[in-house]
């Protein structure tokens, strides 16, 4: 079972997120990490490989510094990686990103493509589905469990509506959620070994990308403005002098909650 | 520039009814359609679509497209995208609204990829400005 895992480098969850006031693009000149949701996808791929054999290939689109996120995936145990990096790709929206990843995935044989459910920066959660559509492969999203039974997958989806058990033939595109497994920490040997693992860097021309579909210019969406959410206001404090219950009832009534 | 002015809402079934987000989407579509002058269509994909289609009408749909099949009892992205795309072909809308749920995201992304259209998610308000081309 050969598995491709698509990963993204995101800014550190702890770092302050700033948007460029002209392009509204995220300022990535801060500490960056492997998207935490993608760690679950890498771990799941490694678990499947350990049980059933095959190769785990990491696919990433991003700036050159995204090499760090790719190396972390390799340090966890992935076999090789493809990093698609090109200035022309900067500013791609979800659709553009899905197109680039789909083209990169067409360059080698796989049985499964795994994604984390979403990135912690863009937070759109639509790239897995768009990639599946562009590849013409079945999609199973928001998975809490994946079992490989020969060339068939038995999975559990978790959605707002509840749990769904599904079966699906391979090849397929999957997105996995937090909690599906416990991502391993890269060992010292893993970190050292990752430096020697094959990392193929590709640009737009290597993938013969249609330039009209990528980058800020190819994006079908435009950010017109952005603002921080309003700071939370302090609540009203009422000391209970015997009329507390009355005041709570009045508050609920004024908010039309009772 | 397209002359399309209609809006298509892809209904999300939930426990044999329309999910609240679909009712909200129809209301939002009505407000936008009021500005654009186009019809609001709803596509219902369900095992028992009758009650959902009727509800869509009550909440303000001008047209309802129905895909009724026992297979739609459980959501699967492929068939739902196919059904939504059939409705897109019939209604030729300027805008397609899907639920911002796990299932709705899959449908929205599938349709947008197939159409080569722009895709916006987690929308909390919308207005027609005439800025986009």
């Amino acid at each position: 079972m050969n598995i491709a895992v698509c990963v993204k480098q995101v800014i550190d969850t702890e770092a302050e997120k700033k948007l460029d006031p002209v392009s509204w693009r995220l300022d990535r000149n801060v500490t960056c990490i492997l998207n935490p949701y993608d760690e679950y996808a890498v771990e799941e791929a490694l678990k499947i490989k350990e049980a059933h054999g095959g190769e785990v290939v990491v696919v990433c689109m991003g700036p050159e510094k995204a090499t760090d996120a790719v190396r972390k995936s390799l340090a966890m145990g992935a076999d090789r990686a493809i990093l698609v990096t090109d200035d022309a790709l900067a500013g791609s929206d979800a659709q553009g990103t899905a197109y680039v990843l789909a083209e990169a995935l067409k360059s080698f044989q796989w049985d499964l493509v795994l994604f984390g459910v979403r990135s912690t920066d863009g937070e759109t959660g639509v790239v897995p589905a768009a990639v599946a559509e562009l590849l013409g492969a079945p999609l199973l999203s928001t998975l809490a469990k994946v079992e490989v039974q020969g060339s068939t997958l038995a999975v559990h989806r978790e959605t707002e509506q509840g749990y769904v058990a599904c079966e699906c033939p391979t090849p397929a595109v999957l997105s996995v959620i937090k909690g599906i497994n416990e991502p391993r920490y890269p060992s010292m040997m893993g970190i050292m070994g990752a430096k020697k693992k094959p990392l193929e860097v590709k640009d737009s021309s290597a993938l013969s990308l249609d330039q009209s579909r990528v980058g800020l210019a190819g994006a079908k969406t435009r950010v017109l403005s952005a603002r921080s959410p309003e700071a939370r206001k302090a609540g009203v404090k009422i000391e209970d002098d015997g009329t507390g219950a009355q005041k709570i009832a009045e508050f609920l009534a004024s908010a039309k909650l009772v | 520039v397209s002359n399309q002015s209609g809006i298509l809402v892809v209904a999300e079934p939930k426990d044999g009814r329309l999910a609240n987000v679909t009712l909200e989407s129809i209301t939002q579509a009505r407000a936008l359609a009021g500005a654009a002058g186009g019809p609001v269509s709803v596509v219902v994909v369900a095992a028992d679509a009758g009650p959902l289609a009727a509800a869509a009408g009550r909440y303000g749909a001008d047209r309802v497209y129905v895909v009724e099949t026992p297979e739609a009892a459980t959501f699967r992205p492929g068939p739902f995208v196919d059904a939504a795309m059939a409705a897109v072909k019939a209604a030729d809308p300027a805008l397609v609204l899907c639920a911002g749920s796990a299932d709705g995201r899959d449908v929205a992304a599938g349709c947008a990829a197939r159409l080569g259209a722009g895709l916006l998610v987690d929308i909390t308000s919308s207005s027609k400005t005439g800025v986009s081309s």
Side-chain angles (χ1 to χ4, degrees):
Chain A
M1 180 97 19
N2 291 327
I3 307 169
V5 189
C6 294
V7 304
K8 184 181 186 185
Q9 188 184 52
V10 297
I11 71 170
D12 191 345
T13 326
E14 302 294 317
E16 192 189 349
K17 290 179 184 175
K18 278 189 199 147
L19 299 174
D20 181 280
V22 178
S23 71
W24 299 112
R25 279 166 49 194
L26 193 60
D27 178 0
R28 295 181 187 277
N29 290 319
V30 290
T31 313
C32 287
I33 57 169
L34 173 62
N35 175 37
Y37 291 109
D38 296 344
E39 291 188 17
Y40 298 98
V42 173
E43 177 63 34
E44 199 60 25
L46 295 175
K47 282 173 69 176
I48 295 170
K49 179 197 160 170
E50 282 158 7
H52 303 276
E55 185 187 40
V56 174
V57 184
V58 172
V59 179
C60 178
M61 173 184 127
E64 268 183 57
K65 73 184 278 197
T67 306
D68 294 346
V70 171
R71 289 274 180 221
K72 177 166 183 190
S73 312
L74 293 173
M76 286 174 74
D79 298 294
R80 64 185 179 94
I82 298 168
L83 172 64
V84 185
T85 187
D86 197 316
D87 288 345
L89 303 178
S92 295
D93 64 2
Q95 291 279 70
T97 304
Y99 165 65
V100 174
L101 291 174
E103 291 302 310
L105 288 163
K106 286 178 188 169
S107 71
F108 63 99
Q109 289 286 324
W110 43 263
D111 303 293
L112 284 182
V113 179
L114 287 180
F115 281 87
V117 69
R118 62 178 172 271
S119 64
T120 56
D121 51 6
E123 294 257 14
T124 66
V126 289
V127 171
V131 167
E133 181 63 41
L134 293 171
L135 293 171
L139 165 74
L140 291 163
S141 64
T142 63
L143 304 183
K145 188 177 163 191
V146 177
E147 263 180 30
V148 177
Q149 298 162 351
S151 60
T152 304
L153 304 169
V155 304
H156 281 189
R157 282 192 80 214
E158 194 175 314
T159 74
E160 296 88 344
Q161 303 222 12
Y163 301 90
V164 185
C166 307
E167 267 186 8
C168 178
T170 56
V173 175
L174 279 52
S175 79
V176 302
I177 60 172
K178 183 180 174 179
I180 186 172
N181 53 43
E182 186 76 38
R184 66 196 66 184
Y185 287 104
S187 65
M188 192 48 76
M189 246 171 64
I191 293 166
M192 299 305 288
K195 292 174 185 162
K196 295 183 194 124
K197 286 181 176 171
L199 195 169
E200 208 178 336
V201 179
K202 294 191 176 188
D203 61 9
S204 309
S205 58
L207 290 174
S208 308
L209 297 177
D210 175 352
Q211 294 300 316
S212 70
R213 297 177 68 176
V214 298
L216 203 56
K220 294 265 173 36
T221 53
R222 295 273 180 279
V223 180
L224 302 178
S225 67
R227 61 181 165 79
S228 302
E230 278 176 36
R232 247 194 229 185
K233 289 172 189 152
V236 180
K237 266 188 195 170
I238 297 168
E239 294 285 338
D240 185 15
D241 54 6
T243 62
Q246 177 69 26
K247 282 177 178 153
I248 289 170
E250 280 167 12
F251 170 77
L252 291 173
S254 71
K256 294 186 179 169
L257 291 170
V258 290
Chain B
V1 178
S2 150
N3 292 318
Q4 302 157 322
S5 57
I7 298 174
L8 176 71
V9 176
V10 182
E12 174 144 308
K14 187 175 184 184
D15 305 327
R17 303 169 58 176
L18 292 178
N20 281 344
V21 65
T22 297
L23 305 180
E24 291 167 13
S25 300
I26 296 172
T27 301
Q28 185 59 32
R30 276 257 65 92
L32 288 170
V40 172
S41 309
V42 176
V43 56
V44 172
V45 189
D48 179 18
L52 285 73
R58 279 200 305 281
Y59 278 85
D62 298 310
R63 285 184 231 157
V64 182
Y65 299 95
V66 170
V67 179
E68 194 171 53
T69 163
E71 288 184 47
T74 304
F75 173 83
R76 285 176 303 142
F80 271 69
V81 171
D82 288 342
M85 287 302 296
V88 167
K89 204 174 171 193
D92 194 25
L95 182 69
V96 179
L97 292 178
C98 298
S101 60
D103 295 350
R105 237 169 255 271
D106 289 353
V107 175
C111 288
R114 221 178 272 188
L115 289 163
L119 175 59
L120 295 167
V121 299
D122 295 324
I123 292 173
T124 55
S125 72
S126 57
S127 60
K128 192 169 186 298
T129 62
V131 167
S132 61
S133 57

